[in-house]
Structures are given as structure tokens and as C-alpha cells.
């Protein structure tokens, strides 16, 4: 790579969606259906499309992996994480969002998520 060529870095989004059931806090997690980390539990998320704004990508990925629809306008950015080596496929910077949704329906695994469920926090 020349000194004028930008580095190749992917951008992803992750979404922490919280709700409450019987006075207990819950968070939505997905079981990863593909490598890397197939079978592990994670926040819903994925890569940002080239023509997509970050909150829109977060809302889309949440819907694809859990069936839950939370508009981008209801997501709050938490931070960005990009330690080298955190994703074995390539250098990835992940922007994380969160939302609290009272009365949230049960999530259903979809896209590259083998399953999705509410987990007691």
C-alpha cells in the first residue's frame, strides 16, 4: 500500500436493544449462524452498505437478524470500537447503538442469525 492509498477497513454496526419483562431487564441477543464465531451469542449487527447511513444500517441489521423493527431515529449511538484483530476476517470498526423498547415482541432469528432471544441482564 502506498502512503497515499487509504487503508482497507470495514465498518459494521451492532445494536443493544433492551426491554423489561415481569420487572426484569432483558437484552436481545442472536446466536451467530456463520463463522467467525458460529454458535456464539452476540448483539445483532453487521456490515454497513456503501450507500447507507450508520443508524439506518443498525435498524436494517436488527430487523434482518431478529425481526424487530426499531426506527433509526430511536437508536442512540454508544461508541465505536476498532481494536485490530477483533474480527479475524479483516480490520473492522463497529459503531454500537442502543435502545430501550417497552413491550418488545419476542425476536426471531433471521438472515445470518441461527436464532435470537431475549436474555435476562
Amino acid at each position: 500500500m502506498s502512503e497515499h492509498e487509504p487503508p482497507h477497513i470495514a465498518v459494521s454496526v451492532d445494536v443493544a436493544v433492551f426491554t423489561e419483562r415481569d420487572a426484569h431487564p432483558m437484552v436481545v441477543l442472536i446466536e451467530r449462524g456463520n463463522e467467525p464465531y458460529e454458535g456464539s451469542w452476540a448483539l445483532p449487527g453487521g456490515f454497513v452498505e456503501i450507500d447507507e447511513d450508520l443508524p439506518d444500517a443498525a435498524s436494517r441489521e436488527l430487523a434482518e437478524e431478529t425481526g424487530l423493527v426499531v426506527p433509526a431515529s430511536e437508536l442512540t449511538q454508544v461508541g465505536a470500537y476498532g481494536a485490530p484483530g477483533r474480527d479475524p476476517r479483516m480490520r473492522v470498526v463497529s459503531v454500537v447503538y442502543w435502545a430501550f423498547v417497552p413491550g418488545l415482541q419476542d425476536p426471531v432469528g433471521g438472515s445470518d442469525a441461527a436464532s435470537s432471544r431475549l436474555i435476562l441482564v
Side-chain angles (χ1 to χ4, degrees):
M1 176 169 43
S2 76
E3 67 181 77
H4 300 290
E5 184 179 333
H8 298 282
I9 298 176
V11 178
S12 68
V13 288
D14 294 301
V15 188
V17 177
F18 297 91
T19 194
E20 191 174 71
R21 295 271 174 94
D22 299 321
H24 298 290
M26 310 286 283
V27 66
V28 175
L29 294 181
I30 59 128
E31 181 184 9
R32 294 180 60 93
N34 300 316
E35 291 296 339
Y37 312 116
E38 182 177 3
S40 297
W41 289 92
L43 294 173
F47 291 107
V48 177
E49 299 292 334
I50 197 72
D51 61 347
E52 199 171 32
D53 196 15
L54 294 171
D56 294 331
S59 179
R60 175 186 55 78
E61 283 289 344
L62 179 66
E64 287 177 3
E65 293 189 343
T66 68
L68 301 174
V69 177
V70 178
S73 61
E74 294 181 23
L75 298 173
T76 301
Q77 188 174 329
V78 174
Y81 304 89
R86 63 183 289 275
D87 188 315
R89 296 170 290 188
M90 68 186 91
R91 178 73 192 269
V92 178
V93 173
S94 185
V95 180
V96 180
Y97 290 84
W98 82 278
F100 179 80
V101 181
L104 188 69
Q105 68 189 44
D106 287 333
V108 177
S111 182
D112 56 354
S115 66
S116 181
R117 67 175 68 152
L118 288 169
I119 304 292
L120 187 63
V121 177

